Amino acid sequence: MTADFWFDPACPWAWLTSRWMLEVQKVRPVDVRWHVMSLAVLNEPKIDEVPEEYREYLTTTAWEAVRVCIAAAKEHGDDVLGPLYTALGTRFHNQGLPRDRATIEAALQEAGLPTSLADAAGSTAHDEELRLSHKEGIEKVGQDVGTPIISVPGPDGDEVAFFGPVVTPAPRGEAAGRLWDGTLLVAATPGFFELKRTRTAEPSFE
């Protein structure tokens, strides 16, 4: 099974879900195919409604890493997205490094990519491709979600897509596999839309 996974590297919850998916690959016959989505693009229609401090982030810094990811995929192929996401996410979330050019360049270097791709952070040259990638993911689940989005083949051959799961910390080993099994079960149930409770813990990157 191929699981298509849409991420914004800036989101800590998507990061935890992505680390869970890497665990799932170890215990279930699943391959992850990575795609880029953008919290900046997602929030554009309601930008005036978000708190001022978050609005400033969404209109500036939130564009940078996703633009670099899209540029890297365009110039070097989609297969670079997984290693680049890991390099960026480890620095952003686990290490708490600033989301600046130096951090992005270090991630690019770790992923075996030219550091010149960091130039894309401040450029609109690849925004059309970014919006198309975002649209591909969001059209599978609807507008009232965030990142990540996961899409898999359903039991009847139809596509099944969902937001999340939102989980902390990322389950390991067979616990990751059981969560995957359960997620697929509910997501593939006709008419099933939502299962949610209030988050009572901050993201844990242990």
Side-chain angles (χ1 to χ4, degrees), residues 25-125:
Q25 285 189 124
K26 300 175 184 178
V27 294
R28 296 293 185 272
V30 179
D31 290 319
V32 182
R33 186 162 53 195
W34 305 97
H35 308 268
V36 184
M37 65 181 296
S38 166
L39 290 172
V41 174
L42 181 68
N43 284 280
E44 275 183 329
K46 53 185 178 183
I47 193 66
D48 292 334
E49 302 172 16
V50 301
E52 184 175 351
E53 62 275 12
Y54 188 43
R55 186 187 317 148
E56 182 179 357
Y57 167 76
L58 287 172
T59 55
T60 54
T61 308
W63 286 94
E64 296 176 356
V66 289
R67 282 172 168 165
V68 172
C69 288
I70 283 290
K74 183 177 180 180
E75 296 183 22
H76 299 275
D78 291 341
D79 288 345
V80 305
L81 285 175
L84 179 56
Y85 183 24
T86 290
L88 286 168
T90 299
R91 286 165 172 79
F92 289 169
H93 306 300
N94 295 65
Q95 298 175 8
L97 295 176
R99 301 177 186 190
D100 58 13
R101 185 182 180 103
T103 300
I104 290 174
E105 285 186 348
L108 287 165
Q109 188 172 25
E110 180 184 317
L113 294 165
T115 57
S116 59
L117 283 168
D119 292 343
S123 169
T124 61

Side-chain angles (χ1 to χ4, degrees), residues 144 191-196:
D144 53 342
F192 179 86
F193 296 107
E194 190 169 359
L195 180 67
K196 189 174 182 178

